[in-house]
Amino acid sequence: MLIMESALVGKFCKPCCFHSRKGVLRKRKGMATHHLFSSEFNIMSLLSSTHPSVQAGALKRESSAGFVTKELVWPSPDDEIPFWKRDFPSWDASSEVPTDIVKDSNLLHIVHVTAEMAPIAKVGGLGDVVTGLARACLLRGHTVDIMLPFYECIQKQQISDLALITVYNSYHDGNWIPTNAHRGVVSGIPVIFIEPSNEFFKGQHVYGGSYNELEAYLFFSRACLEWMQVSGIQPDIIHVHEWQTGALPLLFWDMYQYLSLKKPRVILTIHNMEHYGECRQEQLSKCGLDGSVYATIDKALDDRTIGHNPERLSLLKGGIVYSNAVVTVSPTYLKETLCSRWLASTLIAHRDKYFGILNGIDTAMWNPATDVFLPAKFSGQNIEGKKLCKHYVQRGLGLASEGIISGNNVPDTMLKVPLVVCISRLVPQKGLHLITHAIKYIEELGGQMIVLGKASDSRFEGEFKHLAELHNHGPSIRILLMYSEELSHMLYAAADMVLVPSIYEPCGLSQLIGMRYGAVYF
């Protein structure tokens, strides 16, 4: 069935893998597999040999929800407030998991440092995986914190018990920037929000503000370590994600490890190697490191820029070299990255600490039997609610007539129309040309299709705006150039089929969510 990335924190000797700090990583054997959470994370702990491996997982909750309990109020595309923007009940996914999960005997403090977290700062699968992995480790008894930029666009009402806990200074470009650290709880997970007093992380979206994004994440990486030092926090594991936090291992081993942070070891997860964090030497120097020191093949030099003027660095490569362990999101993607892409030589050189762990979904957060965003709940044993979800979305987006229907009865004519859903970032990796072909093909065959996603490139945004103008007033196609966590849940519940047209996919969560919500994928 469905699986989710979970963590075994095994043995490591001291630190990273270069020169005198080469680590010796050992695979752990004999790991059990739970129903929902993969136990293949046979890597980790970067402590001494007194810390045995720890497996994080969760068990399936058998839902006893009574599904359709009241007559639905059917939405309309003419409603003043779109149906996905209505008020929904508060939802604590932690309440959906049983309390009888076996706790680990040797517990760790794990801090995730990340640019995304579902649902409050989610752009793609990174946010889902960070939240799911943190919840899985919490369920096993570990202490877990997530450190996240306090983006201006975060809706504070989604954070419980939000409070300012620390005011401190962190370095950037020759100045010490006043910085606030707030603590709150999201989906049952403690979160530390880092808020600098400069312009970083201002704007209406997680990415794409008016500030220099790379320099903002360099600042954030150091600010997280500075907060740990100021607060006296000594986690066992610092788990960094993607290029945005790729400088943190460099900062840790070449600066903070010599100051006060003696205990932590560092894990890097690569969710998508397409994003590598190209960085000029002078930009890296703004976080307090000497950028020229890292401009070598065995450290962070971007191999593709050799002989260019100027040669540049890659934060992702630096993170690979300096981390105690490197993880990617499936064993298959690990094999692909070892034999292709420009970082293959670096990964091969550090193969003894590189692991592929199959991604998955948090089946408490993605559960059609308890999902608060759905107009009707359903399960494998009671699928009537899925019919209502499908017609609810059809009515709300104008894909079905608004004739009077009695109660919660749905016309068979609408249920027989296949509904295809594609929820994706609109970037070339996701197979945009296949999406446009699918729109035409599905319409010709008499089906319906809904595309939900945002384009970061103005060229692709313009192309899909044109498609939306052509199709959005017809009876078959809806193209919604936005992202809504609430609507994505409803679309998965409504879908007969989920389209996953990616040219390549490190792992992919859409197909797993689609199957969880009773849809097939192609």
Side-chain angles (χ1 to χ4, degrees):
M1 290 288 291
L2 306 181
I3 56 175
M4 177 178 186
E5 175 184 306
S6 63
L8 279 182
V9 186
K11 295 180 184 177
F12 277 84
C13 66
K14 195 186 174 186
C16 10
C17 294
F18 62 94
H19 302 307
S20 63
R21 291 206 290 267
K22 183 163 184 177
V24 180
L25 316 185
R26 308 181 213 168
K27 269 194 175 182
R28 310 289 291 178
K29 296 182 180 180
M31 292 170 289
T33 301
H34 287 294
H35 185 64
L36 298 181
F37 297 101
S38 167
S39 307
E40 299 174 87
F41 207 15
N42 49 343
I43 38 177
M44 311 264 167
S45 168
L46 322 176
L47 306 178
S48 66
S49 59
T50 58
H51 288 266
S53 61
V54 175
Q55 180 180 354
L59 303 177
K60 183 176 181 182
R61 175 182 186 270
E62 296 295 335
S63 172
S64 59
F67 299 116
V68 183
T69 58
K70 63 181 179 180
E71 189 169 314
L72 291 178
V73 177
W74 296 99
S76 164
D78 298 324
D79 291 341
E80 183 177 352
I81 299 175
F83 62 91
W84 63 87
K85 291 186 177 180
R86 296 174 180 175
D87 290 333
F88 295 96
S90 60
W91 184 27
D92 180 4
S94 61
S95 65
E96 304 299 334
V97 181
T99 58
D100 57 350
I101 294 175
V102 176
K103 307 296 183 182
D104 290 309
S105 58
N106 294 279
L107 301 179
L108 299 170
H109 182 189
I110 304 162
V111 174
H112 291 271
V113 181
T114 176
E116 295 184 33
M117 178 191 182
I120 58 171
K122 175 182 170 179
V123 175
L126 166 61
D128 285 313
V129 171
V130 168
T131 299
L133 179 56
R135 284 183 8 87
C137 290
L138 281 168
L139 288 167
R140 301 290 295 200
H142 301 281
T143 300
V144 181
D145 294 292
I146 291 177
M147 298 194 74
L148 184 74
F150 205 175
Y151 298 105
E152 184 180 36
C153 62
I154 289 177
Q155 297 179 353
K156 294 181 176 63
Q157 65 270 23
Q158 294 181 311
I159 307 168
S160 302
D161 304 321
L162 182 63
L164 177 65
I165 56 170
T166 314
V167 178
Y168 67 108
N169 294 322
S170 193
Y171 182 88
H172 176 69
D173 197 17
N175 299 299
W176 288 89
I177 307 300
T179 303
N180 295 330
H182 306 262
R183 180 179 286 276
V185 178
V186 178
S187 298
I189 307 164
V191 183
I192 308 298
F193 298 92
I194 301 300
E195 181 185 35
S197 59
N198 58 15
E199 77 281 3
F200 290 161
F201 309 119
K202 305 293 184 183
Q204 298 307 304
H205 305 287
V206 170
Y207 302 130
S210 58
Y211 53 89
N212 184 300
E213 196 167 273
L214 185 140
E215 292 182 15
Y217 287 114
L218 286 171
F219 170 86
F220 172 66
S221 296
R222 178 160 182 178
C224 290
L225 292 170
E226 189 69 30
W227 178 79
M228 293 178 202
Q229 177 167 269
V230 168
S231 304
I233 301 296
Q234 293 272 358
D236 298 295
I237 305 295
I238 301 174
H239 193 152
V240 302
H241 298 266
E242 295 286 66
W243 72 264
Q244 289 95 337
T245 53
L248 188 146
L250 284 65
L251 284 158
F252 176 78
W253 286 113
D254 284 353
M255 185 181 298
Y256 282 87
Q257 188 259 345
Y258 295 107
L259 296 174
S260 65
L261 296 180
K262 306 295 185 182
K263 187 179 183 182
R265 296 297 181 263
V266 183
I267 298 169
L268 165 67
T269 292
I270 302 170
H271 298 260
N272 189 341
M273 210 164 289
E274 180 184 14
H275 311 294
Y276 48 84
E278 182 180 296
C279 178
R280 299 192 308 274
Q281 293 181 35
E282 62 268 24
Q283 287 179 304
L284 183 60
S285 296
K286 289 185 177 183
C287 74
L289 296 171
D290 181 351
S292 64
V293 169
Y294 302 90
T296 62
I297 288 291
D298 61 338
K299 291 190 177 179
L301 180 65
D302 188 331
D303 302 33
R304 298 167 304 170
T305 70
I306 294 174
H308 290 207
N309 187 15
E311 293 179 345
R312 290 178 291 279
L313 311 176
S314 163
L315 296 184
L316 185 61
K317 178 179 176 179
I320 292 168
V321 172
Y322 273 75
S323 293
N324 294 92
V326 181
V327 180
T328 196
V329 292
S330 72
T332 302
Y333 192 55
L334 178 144
K335 293 176 183 177
E336 291 175 3
T337 58
L338 286 173
C339 62
S340 64
R341 305 182 183 276
W342 72 272
L343 280 170
S345 60
T346 300
L347 293 168
I348 290 170
H350 296 277
R351 180 65 182 89
D352 62 341
K353 65 175 184 180
Y354 186 33
F355 301 84
I357 299 147
L358 191 60
N359 243 351
I361 60 172
D362 185 327
T363 51
M365 299 188 73
W366 292 99
N367 183 357
T370 57
D371 193 328
V372 298
F373 301 132
L374 304 189
K377 311 297 189 287
F378 60 94
S379 72
Q381 292 71 44
N382 185 343
I383 63 171
E384 289 303 309
K386 185 169 178 65
K387 300 177 184 178
L388 295 173
C389 289
K390 178 178 178 179
H391 194 59
Y392 189 87
V393 167
Q394 288 173 320
R395 289 283 293 263
L397 294 178
L399 294 173
S401 65
E402 297 187 23
I404 297 174
I405 61 175
S406 60
N408 290 341
N409 296 318
V410 180
D412 285 342
T413 53
M414 294 313 305
L415 292 177
K416 290 178 180 178
V417 178
L419 177 61
V420 180
V421 164
C422 180
I423 302 172
S424 175
R425 292 181 296 116
L426 300 179
V427 296
Q429 173 204 337
K430 299 298 183 179
L432 300 185
H433 65 293
L434 298 175
I435 297 175
T436 57
H437 283 301
I439 290 170
K440 180 180 178 181
Y441 192 59
I442 290 166
E443 188 173 38
E444 288 176 351
L445 291 176
Q448 294 180 337
M449 183 172 180
I450 302 169
V451 178
L452 176 66
K454 291 185 64 174
S456 56
D457 188 302
S458 59
R459 294 171 298 169
F460 304 127
E461 183 179 26
E463 178 182 353
F464 277 86
K465 278 185 177 178
H466 177 65
L467 287 171
E469 290 168 359
L470 286 176
H471 293 285
N472 276 6
H473 297 291
S476 304
I477 308 296
R478 293 294 179 268
I479 299 170
L480 307 171
L481 299 179
M482 61 178 192
Y483 184 76
S484 163
E485 183 73 8
E486 297 86 351
L487 182 56
S488 70
H489 282 247
M490 295 182 191
L491 293 184
Y492 282 120
D496 297 303
M497 291 170 274
V498 173
L499 175 64
V500 187
S502 300
I503 303 301
Y504 73 92
E505 194 62 66
C507 179
L509 302 181
S510 294
Q511 63 270 39
L512 301 180
I513 298 169
M515 290 188 289
R516 176 73 167 160
Y517 281 63
V520 296
Y521 76 92
F522 65 102

